[in-house]
Coordinates of all heavy atoms in Angstrom, one line a residue:
M117 N 97.8 5.0 -36.1 CA 97.3 4.2 -35.1 C 95.8 3.7 -35.5 O 95.5 2.6 -35.3 CB 97.3 4.9 -33.8 CG 98.6 4.9 -33.1 SD 98.6 5.5 -31.5 CE 99.2 7.2 -31.8
I118 N 95.1 4.7 -36.0 CA 93.7 4.3 -36.4 C 93.7 3.3 -37.6 O 93.0 2.3 -37.5 CB 92.9 5.6 -36.8 CG1 92.7 6.5 -35.5 CG2 91.6 5.2 -37.4 CD1 92.2 7.8 -35.8
T119 N 94.5 3.6 -38.6 CA 94.6 2.7 -39.7 C 95.1 1.3 -39.3 O 94.6 0.3 -39.8 CB 95.6 3.2 -40.8 OG1 95.0 4.5 -41.2 CG2 95.7 2.3 -42.0
N120 N 96.1 1.2 -38.4 CA 96.7 -0.1 -38.0 C 96.0 -0.7 -36.8 O 96.5 -1.7 -36.3 CB 98.2 0.1 -37.8 CG 98.9 0.3 -39.1 OD1 98.6 -0.2 -40.1 ND2 99.9 1.2 -39.1
R121 N 95.0 0.0 -36.3 CA 94.2 -0.5 -35.2 C 95.0 -0.9 -33.9 O 94.9 -2.0 -33.4 CB 93.3 -1.7 -35.6 CG 92.4 -1.3 -36.7 CD 91.5 -2.5 -37.1 NE 90.6 -2.0 -38.1 CZ 89.9 -2.8 -39.0 NH1 90.1 -4.1 -38.9 NH2 89.1 -2.2 -39.8
Y122 N 95.8 0.1 -33.5 CA 96.5 -0.1 -32.2 C 96.5 1.2 -31.5 O 96.3 2.3 -32.1 CB 97.9 -0.7 -32.5 CG 98.9 0.4 -32.9 CD1 99.7 1.0 -32.0 CD2 98.9 0.8 -34.2 CE1 100.6 2.0 -32.4 CE2 99.8 1.8 -34.6 CZ 100.6 2.4 -33.7 OH 101.5 3.4 -34.1
F123 N 96.9 1.2 -30.2 CA 97.1 2.4 -29.4 C 98.3 2.1 -28.6 O 98.3 1.2 -27.7 CB 95.8 2.6 -28.6 CG 95.9 3.9 -27.7 CD1 95.7 5.1 -28.3 CD2 96.3 3.8 -26.4 CE1 95.8 6.3 -27.5 CE2 96.4 4.9 -25.6 CZ 96.2 6.2 -26.2
G124 N 99.4 2.8 -28.8 CA 100.6 2.6 -28.0 C 101.7 3.4 -28.5 O 101.7 4.0 -29.6
H125 N 102.8 3.4 -27.7 CA 104.0 4.2 -28.0 C 104.9 3.6 -29.0 O 105.9 4.2 -29.4 CB 104.7 4.6 -26.7 CG 103.9 5.5 -25.9 ND1 103.8 6.8 -26.1 CD2 103.2 5.3 -24.7 CE1 103.0 7.4 -25.2 NE2 102.6 6.5 -24.4
V126 N 104.7 2.3 -29.4 CA 105.5 1.6 -30.3 C 104.7 1.3 -31.6 O 103.8 0.4 -31.5 CB 106.2 0.4 -29.7 CG1 107.1 -0.3 -30.8 CG2 107.0 0.7 -28.5
S127 N 104.9 1.9 -32.7 CA 104.2 1.6 -33.9 C 104.7 0.4 -34.6 O 106.0 0.2 -34.7 CB 104.4 2.8 -34.9 OG 104.0 2.5 -36.2
P128 N 103.9 -0.5 -35.0 CA 104.3 -1.7 -35.8 C 105.0 -1.3 -37.1 O 105.7 -2.0 -37.7 CB 103.1 -2.5 -36.0 CG 101.9 -1.6 -35.8 CD 102.4 -0.5 -34.9
T129 N 104.7 -0.1 -37.6 CA 105.3 0.4 -38.8 C 106.5 1.3 -38.6 O 107.5 1.1 -39.3 CB 104.2 1.2 -39.6 OG1 103.0 0.4 -39.7 CG2 104.7 1.6 -41.0
Y130 N 106.4 2.2 -37.7 CA 107.5 3.2 -37.6 C 108.4 3.1 -36.3 O 109.3 3.8 -36.2 CB 106.8 4.6 -37.5 CG 105.9 4.9 -38.7 CD1 104.6 4.9 -38.6 CD2 106.5 5.2 -40.0 CE1 103.8 5.1 -39.7 CE2 105.7 5.4 -41.1 CZ 104.3 5.4 -40.9 OH 103.6 5.6 -42.0
G131 N 108.0 2.2 -35.4 CA 108.8 2.1 -34.2 C 108.4 3.1 -33.2 O 107.3 3.5 -33.1
R132 N 109.4 3.5 -32.4 CA 109.1 4.5 -31.3 C 109.2 5.9 -31.8 O 109.6 6.2 -33.0 CB 110.2 4.3 -30.2 CG 110.2 3.0 -29.5 CD 111.2 2.9 -28.4 NE 111.1 1.7 -27.7 CZ 110.2 1.3 -26.8 NH1 109.3 2.2 -26.5 NH2 110.2 0.1 -26.3
A133 N 108.7 6.9 -31.0 CA 108.7 8.3 -31.5 C 110.1 8.7 -31.9 O 110.2 9.4 -32.9 CB 108.2 9.2 -30.3
R134 N 111.1 8.3 -31.2 CA 112.5 8.8 -31.6 C 112.9 8.2 -33.0 O 113.6 8.8 -33.7 CB 113.5 8.3 -30.6 CG 113.8 6.9 -30.5 CD 114.8 6.5 -29.4 NE 114.0 6.6 -28.2 CZ 114.1 5.8 -27.2 NH1 114.9 4.8 -27.2 NH2 113.4 5.9 -26.1
D135 N 112.4 7.0 -33.3 CA 112.6 6.4 -34.6 C 111.9 7.3 -35.7 O 112.5 7.5 -36.8 CB 112.1 5.0 -34.7 CG 112.8 4.1 -33.7 OD1 114.0 4.3 -33.4 OD2 112.1 3.2 -33.1
M136 N 110.7 7.7 -35.4 CA 109.9 8.5 -36.4 C 110.6 9.9 -36.6 O 110.7 10.3 -37.7 CB 108.5 8.7 -35.9 CG 107.7 7.4 -36.0 SD 106.0 7.7 -35.5 CE 106.1 7.4 -33.8
V137 N 111.0 10.5 -35.5 CA 111.7 11.8 -35.6 C 113.0 11.7 -36.4 O 113.3 12.5 -37.2 CB 111.9 12.4 -34.2 CG1 112.8 13.6 -34.2 CG2 110.6 12.6 -33.5
K138 N 113.8 10.6 -36.1 CA 115.0 10.4 -36.8 C 114.8 10.2 -38.3 O 115.5 10.7 -39.1 CB 115.8 9.2 -36.2 CG 117.2 9.0 -36.7 CD 117.9 7.8 -36.1 CE 118.5 8.2 -34.8 NZ 119.3 7.1 -34.2
A139 N 113.8 9.4 -38.6 CA 113.4 9.1 -40.0 C 113.0 10.4 -40.8 O 113.2 10.5 -42.0 CB 112.4 8.0 -40.1
A140 N 112.5 11.3 -40.0 CA 112.1 12.6 -40.6 C 113.3 13.6 -40.8 O 113.1 14.6 -41.4 CB 111.0 13.3 -39.7
G141 N 114.4 13.1 -40.4 CA 115.7 13.9 -40.6 C 115.9 15.0 -39.5 O 116.7 15.9 -39.7
L142 N 115.2 14.9 -38.4 CA 115.3 15.9 -37.3 C 116.4 15.4 -36.3 O 116.4 14.3 -36.0 CB 114.0 16.1 -36.6 CG 112.9 16.6 -37.5 CD1 111.6 16.6 -36.7 CD2 113.2 18.0 -38.1
S143 N 117.2 16.4 -35.9 CA 118.2 16.1 -34.8 C 117.5 16.4 -33.5 O 116.7 17.3 -33.3 CB 119.4 16.9 -35.0 OG 119.2 18.3 -35.0
F144 N 118.0 15.6 -32.5 CA 117.4 15.8 -31.1 C 118.3 15.2 -30.1 O 119.2 14.4 -30.4 CB 116.0 15.2 -31.0 CG 116.0 13.7 -31.3 CD1 116.2 12.8 -30.3 CD2 115.9 13.3 -32.6 CE1 116.3 11.4 -30.6 CE2 115.9 11.9 -32.9 CZ 116.1 11.0 -31.8
K145 N 118.2 15.7 -28.9 CA 118.9 15.1 -27.7 C 117.9 14.1 -27.0 O 118.3 13.1 -26.5 CB 119.3 16.1 -26.7 CG 120.4 17.0 -27.3 CD 120.8 18.1 -26.2 CE 121.9 19.0 -26.8 NZ 122.2 20.1 -25.9
H146 N 116.6 14.6 -26.9 CA 115.6 13.8 -26.2 C 114.3 13.9 -26.9 O 114.0 15.0 -27.5 CB 115.4 14.2 -24.7 CG 116.7 14.2 -23.9 ND1 117.2 13.1 -23.5 CD2 117.4 15.2 -23.5 CE1 118.3 13.4 -22.8 NE2 118.5 14.7 -22.8
V147 N 113.5 12.9 -26.8 CA 112.1 12.9 -27.4 C 111.2 12.4 -26.3 O 111.4 11.4 -25.6 CB 112.0 11.9 -28.6 CG1 110.6 11.9 -29.2 CG2 113.0 12.4 -29.7
G148 N 110.0 13.1 -26.2 CA 108.9 12.6 -25.4 C 107.7 12.5 -26.2 O 107.5 13.2 -27.2
E149 N 106.8 11.7 -25.8 CA 105.5 11.5 -26.5 C 104.3 11.3 -25.5 O 104.5 10.6 -24.5 CB 105.6 10.3 -27.4 CG 104.4 10.0 -28.2 CD 104.5 8.7 -29.0 OE1 104.9 7.7 -28.5 OE2 104.3 8.8 -30.3
C150 N 103.2 11.9 -25.9 CA 102.0 11.7 -25.2 C 100.9 11.3 -26.2 O 100.8 11.9 -27.3 CB 101.5 13.0 -24.4 SG 102.6 13.6 -23.1
L151 N 100.1 10.4 -25.8 CA 99.0 9.9 -26.6 C 97.7 10.0 -25.9 O 97.6 9.7 -24.7 CB 99.2 8.4 -27.0 CG 100.5 8.1 -27.7 CD1 100.6 6.6 -27.9 CD2 100.7 8.8 -29.0
A152 N 96.6 10.3 -26.6 CA 95.3 10.3 -26.0 C 94.2 9.8 -27.0 O 94.3 10.2 -28.2 CB 94.9 11.7 -25.5
G153 N 93.4 9.0 -26.6 CA 92.3 8.5 -27.5 C 91.0 9.3 -27.2 O 90.3 9.0 -26.3
T154 N 90.8 10.3 -28.1 CA 89.6 11.1 -28.0 C 89.5 11.9 -29.3 O 90.5 12.1 -29.9 CB 89.6 12.0 -26.8 OG1 88.4 12.8 -26.8 CG2 90.8 12.9 -26.7
S155 N 88.3 12.4 -29.6 CA 88.2 13.3 -30.8 C 88.3 14.7 -30.4 O 88.2 15.6 -31.3 CB 86.9 13.0 -31.5 OG 85.8 13.3 -30.6
K156 N 88.5 15.0 -29.1 CA 88.5 16.4 -28.7 C 89.8 16.8 -28.1 O 90.2 16.3 -27.0 CB 87.3 16.6 -27.7 CG 86.0 16.3 -28.2 CD 84.9 16.5 -27.2 CE 83.5 16.3 -27.9 NZ 82.4 16.4 -27.0
P157 N 90.6 17.7 -28.7 CA 91.9 18.0 -28.2 C 91.9 18.6 -26.8 O 92.8 18.3 -26.0 CB 92.4 19.1 -29.2 CG 91.6 18.8 -30.5 CD 90.3 18.3 -30.0
D158 N 90.9 19.4 -26.4 CA 90.8 19.9 -25.1 C 90.6 18.8 -24.0 O 91.2 18.9 -23.0 CB 89.7 21.0 -25.0 CG 88.3 20.5 -25.3 OD1 88.2 19.6 -26.1 OD2 87.4 21.1 -24.7
V159 N 89.8 17.8 -24.4 CA 89.6 16.7 -23.5 C 90.9 15.9 -23.3 O 91.3 15.5 -22.2 CB 88.5 15.8 -24.0 CG1 88.4 14.5 -23.2 CG2 87.2 16.5 -23.9
A160 N 91.6 15.7 -24.5 CA 92.9 15.0 -24.5 C 93.9 15.7 -23.6 O 94.6 15.1 -22.7 CB 93.5 14.9 -25.9
H161 N 94.0 17.0 -23.7 CA 95.0 17.8 -23.0 C 94.7 17.7 -21.5 O 95.6 17.6 -20.7 CB 95.1 19.2 -23.5 CG 96.2 20.0 -22.8 ND1 97.5 19.8 -23.0 CD2 96.1 21.0 -21.9 CE1 98.2 20.6 -22.2 NE2 97.4 21.4 -21.5
A162 N 93.4 17.9 -21.1 CA 93.1 17.8 -19.7 C 93.4 16.5 -19.1 O 93.9 16.4 -18.0 CB 91.6 18.1 -19.6
A163 N 93.1 15.4 -19.9 CA 93.4 14.1 -19.4 C 94.9 13.9 -19.2 O 95.4 13.3 -18.2 CB 92.9 13.0 -20.3
L164 N 95.7 14.3 -20.2 CA 97.2 14.2 -20.1 C 97.7 15.0 -18.9 O 98.7 14.6 -18.3 CB 97.8 14.6 -21.4 CG 97.5 13.7 -22.6 CD1 98.0 14.4 -23.9 CD2 98.1 12.3 -22.4
M165 N 97.2 16.2 -18.7 CA 97.7 17.0 -17.5 C 97.3 16.3 -16.2 O 98.0 16.6 -15.2 CB 97.1 18.4 -17.6 CG 97.7 19.2 -18.7 SD 99.5 19.4 -18.6 CE 99.5 20.7 -17.3
R166 N 96.3 15.5 -16.1 CA 96.0 14.8 -14.9 C 96.9 13.6 -14.6 O 97.0 13.1 -13.5 CB 94.5 14.3 -14.9 CG 93.5 15.5 -14.7 CD 92.1 15.0 -14.4 NE 91.6 14.1 -15.5 CZ 91.0 14.5 -16.6 NH1 90.7 15.8 -16.7 NH2 90.5 13.7 -17.5
S167 N 97.6 13.1 -15.7 CA 98.5 12.0 -15.5 C 99.9 12.5 -15.2 O 100.5 13.2 -16.0 CB 98.5 11.2 -16.9 OG 99.6 10.4 -16.9
P168 N 100.5 12.1 -14.1 CA 101.8 12.6 -13.7 C 102.9 12.4 -14.7 O 103.7 13.3 -15.0 CB 102.1 11.8 -12.4 CG 100.8 11.4 -11.8 CD 99.9 11.2 -13.0
G169 N 102.9 11.2 -15.4 CA 104.0 11.0 -16.4 C 103.8 11.9 -17.6 O 104.8 12.4 -18.1
H170 N 102.6 12.0 -18.1 CA 102.3 12.8 -19.2 C 102.6 14.3 -18.9 O 103.1 15.1 -19.7 CB 100.9 12.6 -19.8 CG 100.8 11.2 -20.3 ND1 100.1 10.2 -19.6 CD2 101.1 10.7 -21.5 CE1 100.1 9.2 -20.4 NE2 100.7 9.4 -21.5
R171 N 102.1 14.7 -17.7 CA 102.3 16.1 -17.3 C 103.8 16.5 -17.2 O 104.1 17.6 -17.6 CB 101.6 16.3 -15.9 CG 101.7 17.7 -15.4 CD 101.0 17.7 -14.0 NE 101.0 19.1 -13.4 CZ 100.1 20.0 -13.7 NH1 99.1 19.7 -14.4 NH2 100.3 21.2 -13.1
T172 N 104.6 15.5 -16.8 CA 106.0 15.8 -16.8 C 106.6 16.1 -18.2 O 107.3 17.1 -18.3 CB 106.8 14.5 -16.2 OG1 106.3 14.3 -14.9 CG2 108.3 14.7 -16.2
H173 N 106.2 15.4 -19.2 CA 106.6 15.7 -20.6 C 106.1 17.0 -21.0 O 106.8 17.8 -21.5 CB 106.0 14.6 -21.5 CG 106.8 13.4 -21.6 ND1 108.2 13.3 -21.7 CD2 106.4 12.1 -21.5 CE1 108.6 12.1 -21.7 NE2 107.5 11.3 -21.6
I174 N 104.8 17.3 -20.7 CA 104.2 18.6 -21.2 C 104.9 19.8 -20.6 O 105.1 20.8 -21.2 CB 102.7 18.6 -20.9 CG1 102.0 17.5 -21.8 CG2 102.1 20.0 -21.1 CD1 100.6 17.2 -21.4
L175 N 105.3 19.7 -19.3 CA 105.8 20.8 -18.6 C 107.4 20.9 -18.5 O 107.9 21.8 -18.0 CB 105.3 20.9 -17.2 CG 103.8 21.1 -17.1 CD1 103.3 21.0 -15.6 CD2 103.3 22.3 -17.7
A176 N 108.0 19.8 -19.1 CA 109.5 19.8 -19.0 C 110.1 20.9 -19.7 O 109.9 21.2 -20.9 CB 110.0 18.4 -19.6
S177 N 111.0 21.6 -19.0 CA 111.7 22.8 -19.6 C 112.8 22.4 -20.5 O 113.3 23.2 -21.3 CB 112.3 23.7 -18.4 OG 113.3 22.9 -17.7
A178 N 113.2 21.1 -20.6 CA 114.2 20.6 -21.5 C 113.7 20.6 -22.9 O 114.6 20.7 -23.8 CB 114.7 19.2 -21.1
Y179 N 112.4 20.5 -23.1 CA 111.9 20.4 -24.5 C 111.9 21.8 -25.2 O 111.4 22.8 -24.5 CB 110.6 19.7 -24.6 CG 110.6 18.3 -24.1 CD1 109.9 17.8 -23.1 CD2 111.5 17.4 -24.8 CE1 110.0 16.5 -22.7 CE2 111.5 16.1 -24.5 CZ 110.8 15.6 -23.4 OH 110.9 14.3 -23.0
D180 N 112.3 21.9 -26.4 CA 112.3 23.1 -27.2 C 111.1 23.2 -28.1 O 110.8 24.3 -28.5 CB 113.6 23.2 -28.0 CG 114.9 23.1 -27.2 OD1 115.1 23.9 -26.3 OD2 115.7 22.2 -27.5
E181 N 110.6 22.1 -28.5 CA 109.6 22.1 -29.6 C 108.5 21.0 -29.2 O 108.8 20.0 -28.6 CB 110.2 21.8 -30.9 CG 111.2 22.8 -31.4 CD 111.8 22.4 -32.7 OE1 111.1 22.0 -33.6 OE2 113.1 22.5 -32.8
V182 N 107.3 21.3 -29.8 CA 106.3 20.3 -29.6 C 105.5 20.2 -31.0 O 105.3 21.3 -31.6 CB 105.3 20.6 -28.5 CG1 104.6 22.0 -28.7 CG2 104.3 19.5 -28.3
G183 N 105.1 19.0 -31.3 CA 104.3 18.8 -32.5 C 103.0 18.1 -32.1 O 103.1 17.2 -31.2
V184 N 101.9 18.5 -32.6 CA 100.6 17.9 -32.2 C 99.9 17.4 -33.4 O 99.8 18.1 -34.4 CB 99.7 18.9 -31.4 CG1 98.4 18.3 -31.1 CG2 100.4 19.5 -30.2
G185 N 99.5 16.1 -33.4 CA 98.8 15.6 -34.5 C 97.4 15.1 -34.0 O 97.3 14.6 -32.9
I186 N 96.4 15.3 -34.8 CA 95.0 14.9 -34.4 C 94.5 14.2 -35.6 O 94.5 14.7 -36.8 CB 94.2 16.2 -34.1 CG1 94.8 17.0 -33.0 CG2 92.7 15.7 -33.8 CD1 94.2 18.3 -32.8
A187 N 93.9 13.0 -35.4 CA 93.3 12.2 -36.4 C 91.9 11.8 -35.9 O 91.8 11.4 -34.7 CB 94.1 11.0 -36.8
Y188 N 91.0 11.8 -36.8 CA 89.6 11.4 -36.4 C 89.2 10.0 -36.9 O 89.7 9.6 -38.0 CB 88.6 12.5 -36.9 CG 88.8 13.8 -36.3 CD1 89.6 14.8 -36.9 CD2 88.4 14.1 -35.0 CE1 89.8 16.0 -36.3 CE2 88.7 15.3 -34.4 CZ 89.4 16.2 -35.1 OH 89.6 17.4 -34.4
G189 N 88.5 9.3 -36.1 CA 88.1 7.9 -36.4 C 88.5 7.0 -35.4 O 89.0 7.3 -34.3
G190 N 88.4 5.7 -35.6 CA 88.8 4.6 -34.7 C 87.9 4.5 -33.5 O 86.9 5.1 -33.4
P191 N 88.3 3.6 -32.6 CA 87.4 3.3 -31.5 C 87.1 4.4 -30.5 O 86.1 4.4 -29.8 CB 88.1 2.1 -30.8 CG 89.5 2.2 -31.2 CD 89.5 2.8 -32.5
Y192 N 88.0 5.4 -30.4 CA 87.9 6.5 -29.5 C 87.3 7.7 -30.1 O 87.1 8.8 -29.5 CB 89.2 6.9 -28.9 CG 90.0 5.7 -28.2 CD1 91.1 5.2 -28.8 CD2 89.5 5.1 -27.1 CE1 91.8 4.1 -28.3 CE2 90.1 4.0 -26.5 CZ 91.3 3.5 -27.1 OH 91.9 2.5 -26.6
G193 N 87.0 7.7 -31.4 CA 86.5 8.8 -32.1 C 87.6 9.7 -32.7 O 87.4 10.5 -33.5
G194 N 88.8 9.5 -32.2 CA 90.0 10.2 -32.6 C 91.2 9.9 -31.8 O 91.1 9.2 -30.8
M195 N 92.3 10.4 -32.2 CA 93.6 10.2 -31.5 C 94.4 11.6 -31.5 O 94.4 12.2 -32.5 CB 94.5 9.2 -32.2 CG 93.8 7.8 -32.4 SD 93.7 7.0 -30.8 CE 95.1 6.0 -30.9
V196 N 94.9 11.9 -30.4 CA 95.8 13.1 -30.3 C 97.2 12.6 -29.9 O 97.3 11.8 -28.9 CB 95.2 14.1 -29.2 CG1 96.1 15.2 -29.0 CG2 93.8 14.5 -29.6
T197 N 98.2 13.0 -30.6 CA 99.6 12.7 -30.3 C 100.4 14.0 -30.2 O 100.2 14.9 -31.0 CB 100.2 11.9 -31.5 OG1 99.4 10.7 -31.7 CG2 101.6 11.5 -31.2
E198 N 101.1 14.0 -29.1 CA 102.0 15.2 -28.9 C 103.5 14.6 -28.8 O 103.7 13.7 -28.1 CB 101.7 15.8 -27.5 CG 100.3 16.4 -27.5 CD 100.0 16.9 -26.1 OE1 100.7 16.6 -25.1 OE2 99.0 17.6 -26.0
I199 N 104.4 15.2 -29.6 CA 105.8 14.8 -29.6 C 106.6 16.0 -29.2 O 106.5 17.1 -29.8 CB 106.2 14.2 -31.0 CG1 105.4 12.9 -31.3 CG2 107.7 13.9 -31.0 CD1 105.8 12.3 -32.6
F200 N 107.5 15.8 -28.2 CA 108.3 16.8 -27.7 C 109.7 16.6 -28.0 O 110.2 15.4 -27.9 CB 108.1 16.9 -26.1 CG 106.7 17.1 -25.7 CD1 105.9 16.0 -25.5 CD2 106.2 18.3 -25.5 CE1 104.6 16.1 -25.1 CE2 104.9 18.5 -25.1 CZ 104.1 17.4 -24.9
L201 N 110.5 17.6 -28.4 CA 111.9 17.5 -28.8 C 112.7 18.4 -27.9 O 112.4 19.6 -27.7 CB 112.1 17.9 -30.2 CG 111.5 17.0 -31.3 CD1 111.9 17.5 -32.7 CD2 111.9 15.6 -31.2
A202 N 113.8 17.9 -27.5 CA 114.9 18.7 -26.9 C 116.0 18.6 -27.9 O 116.5 17.6 -28.3 CB 115.4 18.1 -25.6
R203 N 116.5 19.8 -28.4 CA 117.5 19.8 -29.5 C 118.9 20.1 -28.9 O 119.1 20.7 -27.9 CB 117.1 20.9 -30.5 CG 115.8 20.6 -31.2 CD 116.1 20.5 -32.6 NE 114.8 20.4 -33.3 CZ 114.8 20.2 -34.6 NH1 115.8 20.0 -35.2 NH2 113.6 20.1 -35.2

C-alpha cells in the first residue's frame, strides 16, 4: 500500500485479501481483513477495536488464524494489516 500509494481493501496489484491468501497457496473457508494507517501497532489495534465492523473480525470465533503485517512509511507513518482465516 505504501509503495503503490493507496489505502484500501482492494490492491491494484494483488486484488482482495482472499486473492492474496489463495495466491499464497493457503486453503480457507473465510477471510477477514482489517487495515489501519499508523506507525504504532497499539494505536492501530485500539482504533480497530472501536470500529464495530473491525471489532467483529477481530473477535469472531470462526477464525482460526491471524497474520499481522506492519510497514513503516507513507502518509500515515505506517500501515498495519491484519488478515484472519477460517480453515
Side-chain angles (χ1 to χ4, degrees):
M117 283 186 258
I118 292 170
T119 300
N120 291 322
R121 297 181 178 163
Y122 79 97
F123 181 81
H125 292 284
V126 181
S127 164
T129 306
Y130 304 106
R132 297 184 179 280
R134 72 183 74 136
D135 302 321
M136 290 183 271
V137 171
K138 189 181 273 187
L142 301 173
S143 61
F144 59 89
K145 292 179 185 173
H146 305 285
V147 176
E149 181 184 49
C150 294
L151 307 173
T154 179
S155 63
K156 299 180 179 181
D158 58 330
V159 171
H161 185 70
L164 292 169
M165 288 299 285
R166 286 191 303 270
S167 164
H170 293 101
R171 184 180 179 88
T172 297
H173 279 310
I174 293 167
L175 298 178
S177 63
Y179 294 121
D180 306 303
E181 300 179 44
V182 62
V184 178
I186 303 167
Y188 296 97
Y192 307 109
M195 303 289 264
V196 176
T197 303
E198 300 173 344
I199 296 181
F200 303 89
L201 294 182
R203 298 236 189 189

